[in-house]
Amino acid sequence: MKDNPNYSYSLSKSGDVFIIRIRNVDNSSSAPSKVDISPVSCVKSLAKKNDNSDVRYIFTIKDCKVAKPFTLAPAKGTAYRLVLDYIHNEKASAAVAKSNKNQNSNDIKKVNSSQNDKIDTAIPLKEYERKLFIEYSTVSKDGIRSMNAKNAVIYNQKINALRNDYELAANQKNKSKKETVAKVDDSKKKKNADVEEEVKETIAPPVPVKATPISRPFVISVDAGHGGKDPGAIGKRGVKEKNVTLAISKALVNYINSNPKFRGNLVRSRDIFIDLDKRSDIARKRKADLLISIHADSVESGSSTARGASVLVLSENRAQRENGKLLKNKKDSKKLIGGAGEVMDQSVGNPYLATAILDMSSTNSRSEGNLLAKEILSSLAKFTHVRKTSPIKASLAVLKAPDIPSLLIETGYLSNRYEEIQLNQPNYQKQIAYRIYLGIKSYYEKYPAKKIKSRVESYTRNHKLSGYKSVTVKKGDSLSLIAKRNKSTVSEIKRINSLKSDILKIGQVLYIP
């Protein structure tokens, strides 16, 4: 292998099948499928299965411990090597164990003859030494302990044996502790390895076939979240959000382009970083009727219980803040699609009318986004778990466009070990994309092509601003005076100019029918 192999493994509940999956194998179809197996090996048979660029090796085993795969770094002129170390279990290795026991009989006898099994290493060695000294010594009249020559010889033998036994007992305790920790670690590793086999392979959805679009198709921009220097969330298995979102986005555009009424495009088609503020600008330049941003969620605490897809739409507070910025920056407002920018450009000198146009455009966009979000959630719920059955309102920069219905789809949680595996499966990615497409299709069929452009143009036609007389408010003017002077009514002037009060400002431009 050219690159360090990406693999996972698991053991069946019966313990007689060991499976290892190797991902992204170059020329996976030509990967080895047979090996010579010794008659005395605990491995009985081997089968190979290909899954696109992944390869699964299925070993039938007997009297084997769980294999411990490891990789060997390439030496000069070689590639990475993945090694499976199969070891006979206790039953099959009894003869070896017996031989080792004979070879180490002297050491075993030494341990058996000692008293280390009666020593509690939780008690300090000095306590044992003190008791031994008291046992072989006596107290004289002056209160000083001493021992005779015979006891001194025995004491020296006993104290040396005690210290040796205490050391052996301490080593044995540490060994047992390490073995316990190792068993716990192996259990955790096995549990995590079993997850992959518990998460079944997803069935592939229908294959999209690109269709020739109609003359004026419904344009949908798909934004793959994160990218380049920004990986997004990263799962415990190393799955990166930026790769998941790009794969789902590409599949979604393929499904969109299979419908002649639609035309899809990608905000980013490769692993590059695009500033959040520029993503809606890119969609606007492509005359998008919808903007859908694809993401994968994660919990900062690392909890693996949070799961499910969700759809987010722009909150009203964030929409108002963004509209305020646009009203201050006329250059940005002129870029708005659907006729909103053109109408706002005509409202120079009339900030009230500009505000009304922008509010209408923004409100319509968020309304359409909510309708679309509900259809997509309904479609996703038929395939996978959804976190919330209703759209979630959020303050997100990618959704700020007041002229394009926009929403953000969290396709699942990379912090959830099950969903991380699912989101990394090509067929699961395609199924998510297919379900999103069905939601878009349902939305389009229920609310046929009511584009913002047609609404704003209708608003412009109804007001016929280009044919209205314009007057500039001067000192001493009031609505009643202006109405009387121009043979109109206060209510009509307020309606035409979207005025909410009778208060006027000097220099304000009003349109008179």
Side-chain angles (χ1 to χ4, degrees):
M1 299 179 184
K2 295 179 181 179
D3 300 315
N4 198 348
N6 179 5
Y7 65 92
S8 62
Y9 59 93
S10 64
L11 183 70
S12 67
K13 292 181 179 179
S14 61
D16 56 3
V17 178
F18 181 86
I19 302 172
I20 184 164
R21 178 191 293 275
I22 308 172
R23 296 185 178 85
N24 301 321
V25 178
D26 294 333
N27 299 321
S28 58
S29 59
S30 62
S33 57
K34 294 182 179 180
V35 292
D36 293 328
I37 301 175
S38 170
V40 297
S41 173
C42 62
V43 177
K44 300 306 176 185
S45 66
L46 168 66
K48 171 195 170 187
K49 289 188 177 181
N50 284 10
D51 185 4
N52 295 327
S53 62
D54 291 359
V55 177
R56 282 197 301 169
Y57 285 106
I58 304 169
F59 296 85
T60 303
I61 58 177
K62 184 179 181 181
D63 296 332
C64 276
K65 289 185 177 180
V66 179
K68 297 180 179 180
F70 59 94
T71 57
L72 295 176
K76 190 175 182 180
T78 64
Y80 279 92
R81 287 175 289 169
L82 176 61
V83 180
L84 296 181
D85 190 6
Y86 284 97
I87 302 173
H88 287 84
N89 63 15
E90 288 77 11
K91 179 180 177 181
S93 58
V96 176
K98 185 176 180 180
S99 174
N100 289 338
K101 184 177 179 180
N102 291 335
Q103 291 176 7
N104 297 291
S105 59
N106 292 335
D107 293 336
I108 293 172
K109 286 178 182 178
K110 182 177 179 181
V111 172
N112 288 339
S113 64
S114 71
Q115 300 298 313
N116 66 310
D117 57 329
K118 298 179 182 179
I119 292 176
D120 182 3
T121 55
I123 300 172
L125 176 60
K126 289 184 179 180
E127 288 294 320
Y128 285 107
E129 291 177 339
R130 179 174 174 276
K131 289 180 181 180
L132 190 64
F133 178 75
I134 291 172
E135 182 180 352
Y136 286 95
S137 63
T138 57
V139 182
S140 60
K141 292 180 180 180
D142 56 7
I144 299 175
R145 281 193 171 274
S146 62
M147 63 179 69
N148 57 35
K150 181 179 178 181
N151 282 356
V153 172
I154 297 173
Y155 171 77
N156 285 331
Q157 292 175 346
K158 292 280 187 179
I159 196 72
N160 289 331
L162 171 65
R163 289 168 178 167
N164 183 61
D165 291 345
Y166 193 92
E167 183 180 359
L168 289 172
N171 291 339
Q172 186 65 32
K173 184 178 180 180
N174 289 336
K175 182 180 179 182
S176 298
K177 187 182 292 185
K178 288 179 180 179
E179 288 176 348
T180 301
V181 172
K183 286 179 180 179
V184 172
D185 290 343
D186 287 344
S187 176
K188 288 181 179 178
K189 289 178 182 177
K190 182 179 180 299
K191 185 178 180 180
N192 289 336
D194 286 342
V195 170
E196 181 169 358
E197 295 309 314
E198 290 173 17
V199 179
K200 296 180 180 180
E201 290 287 345
T202 306
I203 299 173
V207 178
V209 179
K210 189 172 182 179
T212 302
I214 59 178
S215 58
R216 295 188 66 182
F218 196 63
V219 180
I220 304 158
S221 285
V222 180
D223 169 44
H226 305 279
K229 65 182 181 181
D230 176 16
I234 302 177
K236 292 181 179 179
R237 293 169 174 262
V239 178
K240 295 179 180 178
E241 182 180 1
K242 67 175 184 178
N243 297 331
V244 171
T245 60
L246 185 57
I248 293 174
S249 296
K250 286 182 176 179
L252 176 56
V253 167
N254 287 339
Y255 280 110
I256 290 171
N257 288 336
S258 69
N259 191 321
K261 296 179 181 178
F262 299 157
R263 190 54 23 189
N265 59 71
L266 289 163
V267 171
R268 73 171 178 95
S269 58
R270 53 196 176 91
D271 187 16
I272 58 172
F273 174 77
I274 299 176
D275 190 86
L276 284 175
D277 292 330
K278 293 182 179 178
R279 298 189 184 222
S280 55
D281 290 340
I282 293 172
R284 185 175 291 112
K285 287 177 182 177
R286 294 173 182 174
K287 306 297 181 183
D289 294 296
L290 296 177
L291 172 60
I292 296 176
S293 188
I294 305 296
H295 285 256
D297 219 332
S298 182
V299 178
E300 290 184 6
S301 63
S303 169
S304 62
T305 57
R307 68 188 185 100
S310 54
V311 181
L312 290 76
V313 294
L314 190 66
S315 66
E316 185 176 355
N317 288 339
R318 179 63 185 265
Q320 290 176 351
R321 292 201 304 272
E322 294 300 332
N323 290 352
K325 293 177 184 178
L326 277 171
L327 288 169
K328 290 179 181 179
N329 193 333
K330 294 298 182 181
K331 290 183 179 179
D332 287 344
S333 64
K334 289 180 181 180
K335 298 176 183 177
L336 300 182
I337 61 174
E342 181 183 347
V343 177
M344 288 176 68
D345 196 31
Q346 294 177 22
S347 66
V348 176
N350 191 342
Y352 301 98
L353 184 57
T355 301
I357 292 292
L358 189 57
D359 284 347
M360 184 194 71
S361 177
S362 178
T363 300
N364 283 335
S365 291
R366 288 187 293 111
S367 175
E368 296 298 318
N370 270 281
L371 293 173
L372 173 61
K374 289 176 182 178
E375 295 302 319
I376 290 176
L377 277 169
S378 176
S379 179
L380 285 171
K382 295 174 183 176
F383 165 67
T384 189
H385 177 75
V386 293
R387 179 186 165 204
K388 296 279 187 180
T389 55
S390 299
I392 301 170
K393 294 181 180 179
S395 176
L396 300 170
V398 75
L399 305 179
K400 68 179 185 178
D403 52 334
I404 309 173
S406 307
L407 52 83
L408 184 147
I409 302 173
E410 298 283 8
T411 54
Y413 279 81
L414 285 174
S415 54
N416 183 299
R417 68 175 189 267
Y418 296 93
E419 289 195 344
E420 181 186 6
I421 294 169
Q422 289 178 320
L423 288 169
N424 200 37
Q425 291 179 353
N427 284 347
Y428 190 87
Q429 294 167 350
K430 292 173 185 175
Q431 279 283 13
I432 288 288
Y434 180 60
R435 300 294 165 168
I436 295 172
Y437 161 72
L438 291 180
I440 297 170
K441 185 171 177 285
S442 175
Y443 159 80
Y444 185 85
E445 291 170 351
K446 282 186 179 181
Y447 315 100
K450 291 183 179 179
K451 302 180 184 179
I452 291 175
K453 181 178 180 181
S454 64
R455 293 183 183 134
V456 177
E457 286 177 343
S458 174
Y459 186 91
T460 308
R461 285 195 301 271
N462 289 338
H463 288 70
K464 299 178 181 178
L465 293 177
S466 59
Y468 285 1
K469 176 184 177 181
S470 64
V471 297
T472 303
V473 177
K474 298 177 182 179
K475 186 175 180 179
D477 279 346
S478 65
L479 277 176
S480 58
L481 285 175
I482 293 173
K484 185 177 180 180
R485 196 159 53 222
N486 292 279
K487 298 180 180 180
S488 184
T489 63
V490 171
S491 59
E492 185 67 8
I493 293 175
K494 288 178 70 174
R495 185 185 69 80
I496 294 297
N497 293 273
S498 300
L499 299 180
K500 297 180 181 179
S501 73
D502 294 344
I503 299 173
L504 299 177
K505 292 182 180 180
I506 297 173
Q508 180 177 344
V509 177
L510 296 178
Y511 290 91
I512 310 298

